[in-house]
Amino acid sequence: MEKFIIEGGKKLEGEVQISGSKNAALPIIAASIMGEGKTILHNVPNLKDVQTMIKILNYMGAKTEFKNGVLEIDPSGIYQFTAPYEFVSTMRGSICLLGPLLAKYKTARFSMPGGCVIGPRPIDLHIKGFKKLGINIENEEGYIVGKADKIKGNIIFLGGNFGSSVLATANIMCAATLAEGETIIEFSSCEPEIVALANFLKKMGGRIYGEGSHLIRIEGVKKLKGVEYNIIPDRIEAGTYILAGYMTKSKIKIKGVIYQHLLSLFDKLEEAGLEISYNDEYVETIPKERWKALEITTLPFPGFPTDLQAQMMSFLTLADGISLITEKVFPERFIHVGELNRLGADITLDGSKAIIKGVNSLRGTKVMASDLRASAALVLAGLVAEGTTEISRIYHLDRGYENLENKLSILGAKIKRVREES
Ligand code: UD1
């Protein structure tokens, strides 16, 4: 295993280019199997999760080639419709293959994704949606087995106790694209990654209306074709670098951001008393010595993203006053709290709320990464902590941040990856 060693306290400068979005790439790669012929995707981030998705496609019989951010997928040789436990257990997001498999082949066998450190992560909404489309779903020895003679459009209410579901929307939208007749998804997710998937499906020949709102209408078509498509930039990676700029009190340019995807973050940074400069090409952080405490509630898009909650908490450990974060998407997603406290933060938990008392400084020590975004929060803390921070188990970060240590080093951070002695 590998770990990061970070010498804190260095100012950052220069620019960083944002990679393609992991959460847009995964469902789009999955949807490519619905096309007749080859799909070529550009700006695909080279991440562990993307590699896992490619491995599943290869296992099923697809031919793929991935070089310099360009991923070519030829699904014509697919002959098995199973996603085994070894793959699904390392990447819950692989569930987004279920809709495309059922749409194209009317059969799929998928290992049940288990729980994970951010909570139980049920799939009831996916199953409800598939059943409404006439797909028979059974649970056989830890596998979800889906079968249908034909998939028929329907009106589907896809809301759950925590609001809309991103990947359930992706799955049902894909299945409905090749269904007979019209489907209406009520309470669909509005996330930019869903809009990107809808645009991809439309380019393939799908007929989709209303993406980006809570009501998506899909007119089923008989066939889709393989296409060439660009993956949108990763708004969560961008948000993480923006917070790195402010936390280190540095002026940096974050390039290739779609700023409309990050308005909830900008709104909170302004409320904290910070100035932020942005245009169509880049976001620039305008450093300030102090910032104010905030109240933040995570919500589905366009609300504050749960995937930036941990990084935002890191930022608020150094704010003036007491901040409150309420996690409304994954109420148990607070595994980073204990580790941030080891670095000198003052955070207490009360159910799905975290109370963060601002401190003057953090101190480097040994900490352990536990999930993808929690790990990013520790890197941010390490950049400003006095002395040395060692972060172990960084394989979590490799699931979602492309070239993190290189990008930070180019900005002037002192961060290195070393092998951990076992
Ligand atoms: C996606 C993102 C993940 C992000 C999350 C929320 C990908 C690959 N992953 O995950 O990074 O944190 O959106 O923005 O795109 N729920 C149910 N029943 C279901 C499905 C979900 O109750 O069948 C609940 C979840 O437990 C959670 C909430 O709905 O409380 C939202 O989860 P969801 O949007 O489904 O997350 P994912 O799509 O898995």
Side-chain angles (χ1 to χ4, degrees):
M1 277 202 274
E2 293 174 321
K3 63 181 175 186
F4 276 149
I5 299 182
I6 306 176
E7 297 295 331
K10 303 279 176 281
K11 284 248 193 255
L12 306 181
E13 62 177 348
E15 11 181 280
V16 59
Q17 181 69 39
I18 295 308
S19 299
S21 157
K22 167 179 89 75
N23 286 355
L26 293 176
I28 287 174
I29 296 171
S32 72
I33 68 163
M34 298 197 296
E36 311 287 330
K38 199 195 263 183
T39 280
I40 302 174
L41 301 175
H42 296 268
N43 201 30
V44 178
N46 191 2
L47 300 169
K48 196 96 194 25
D49 276 6
V50 168
Q51 288 157 8
T52 305
M53 186 60 107
I54 293 173
K55 275 189 202 154
I56 304 178
L57 258 52
N58 291 341
Y59 172 88
M60 295 189 318
K63 282 205 190 77
T64 58
E65 201 181 315
F66 187 27
K67 237 200 279 171
N68 301 327
V70 181
L71 173 61
E72 298 193 8
I73 304 154
D74 175 0
S76 56
I78 290 184
Y79 67 99
Q80 49 181 350
F81 316 110
T82 299
Y85 179 73
E86 305 87 90
F87 299 126
V88 177
S89 60
T90 63
M91 189 183 67
R92 208 192 160 280
S94 55
I95 187 85
C96 64
L97 259 168
L98 200 46
L101 274 176
L102 288 167
K104 180 81 190 289
Y105 303 102
K106 311 281 183 291
T107 177
R109 192 167 171 273
F110 219 86
S111 172
M112 283 283 254
C116 65
V117 287
I118 71 174
R121 307 196 77 170
I123 53 164
D124 54 308
L125 297 174
H126 302 245
I127 292 174
K128 175 170 84 176
F130 288 135
K131 286 187 170 165
K132 286 267 181 193
L133 291 173
I135 301 166
N136 183 44
I137 304 277
E138 307 274 349
N139 181 352
E140 290 177 8
E141 293 159 2
Y143 277 78
I144 311 161
V145 179
K147 279 199 181 83
D149 293 330
K150 59 175 149 180
I151 299 182
K152 280 194 77 172
N154 204 345
I155 298 176
I156 304 169
F157 181 82
L158 211 53
N161 292 338
F162 300 96
S164 52
S165 160
V166 180
L167 291 182
T169 302
N171 261 334
I172 303 310
M173 190 161 74
C174 285
T177 299
L178 284 177
E180 272 180 26
E182 183 181 85
T183 298
I184 288 177
I185 309 177
E186 182 67 93
F187 216 153
S188 47
S189 284
C190 308
E191 265 65 4
E193 294 76 19
I194 291 295
V195 175
L197 174 63
N199 286 335
F200 175 67
L201 292 169
K202 286 201 264 194
K203 201 166 184 197
M204 293 175 95
R207 293 207 194 123
I208 300 171
Y209 310 88
E211 69 277 8
S213 77
H214 277 310
L215 194 148
I216 300 180
R217 188 169 71 80
I218 302 140
E219 289 167 11
V221 296
K222 290 217 156 54
K223 265 189 180 178
L224 296 171
K225 56 178 189 286
V227 293
E228 211 162 333
Y229 192 74
N230 262 323
I231 302 296
I232 55 168
D234 195 309
R235 62 191 167 108
I236 304 302
E237 188 198 21
T240 305
Y241 284 102
I242 291 168
L243 289 169
Y246 286 111
M247 281 180 79
T248 57
K249 300 170 187 167
S250 307
K251 191 174 171 113
I252 56 170
K253 271 188 188 162
I254 297 99
K255 294 185 75 184
V257 185
I258 301 179
Y259 72 82
Q260 292 90 339
H261 292 175
L262 281 165
L263 293 179
S264 61
L265 172 66
F266 296 173
D267 184 59
K268 284 296 165 189
L269 291 171
E270 280 168 11
E271 199 182 316
L274 294 165
E275 204 186 318
I276 186 154
S277 159
Y278 54 90
N279 58 37
D280 285 340
E281 277 166 46
Y282 60 81
V283 172
E284 190 168 39
T285 56
I286 316 285
K288 211 171 168 190
E289 277 311 300
R290 307 291 315 166
W291 50 90
K292 286 186 260 178
L294 293 170
E295 261 189 47
I296 291 184
T297 301
T298 63
L299 289 168
F301 190 82
F304 192 89
T306 175
D307 284 353
L308 275 177
Q309 180 257 107
Q311 302 89 314
M312 192 61 170
M313 189 179 294
S314 214
F315 166 82
L316 291 175
T317 60
L318 295 168
D320 285 334
I322 301 175
S323 298
L324 178 69
I325 294 185
T326 307
E327 177 51 73
K328 285 226 168 150
V329 180
F330 292 110
E332 295 171 34
R333 191 177 204 174
F334 285 123
I335 195 97
H336 41 284
V337 166
E339 299 302 289
L340 286 173
N341 281 345
R342 283 174 53 73
L343 289 164
D346 185 349
I347 309 168
T348 31
L349 275 181
D350 180 7
S352 61
K353 293 182 191 301
I355 300 138
I356 306 130
K357 288 192 189 141
V359 295
N360 285 328
S361 60
L362 300 174
R363 291 175 312 276
T365 186
K366 289 185 181 179
V367 287
M368 194 188 283
S370 52
D371 82 15
L372 170 55
R373 307 304 172 185
S375 316
L378 296 180
V379 170
L380 292 180
L383 292 177
V384 293
E386 289 163 9
T388 307
T389 300
E390 275 190 36
I391 309 176
S392 57
R393 300 202 177 174
I394 54 169
Y395 56 86
H396 292 289
L397 274 162
D398 297 332
R399 285 189 40 226
Y401 286 89
E402 192 176 46
N403 292 329
L404 180 81
E405 70 268 34
N406 293 346
K407 288 186 181 184
L408 282 172
S409 298
I410 291 167
L411 288 171
K414 284 205 91 179
I415 175 169
K416 63 179 180 198
R417 182 186 287 256
V418 297
R419 189 154 280 285
E420 279 188 270
E421 300 111 44
S422 45

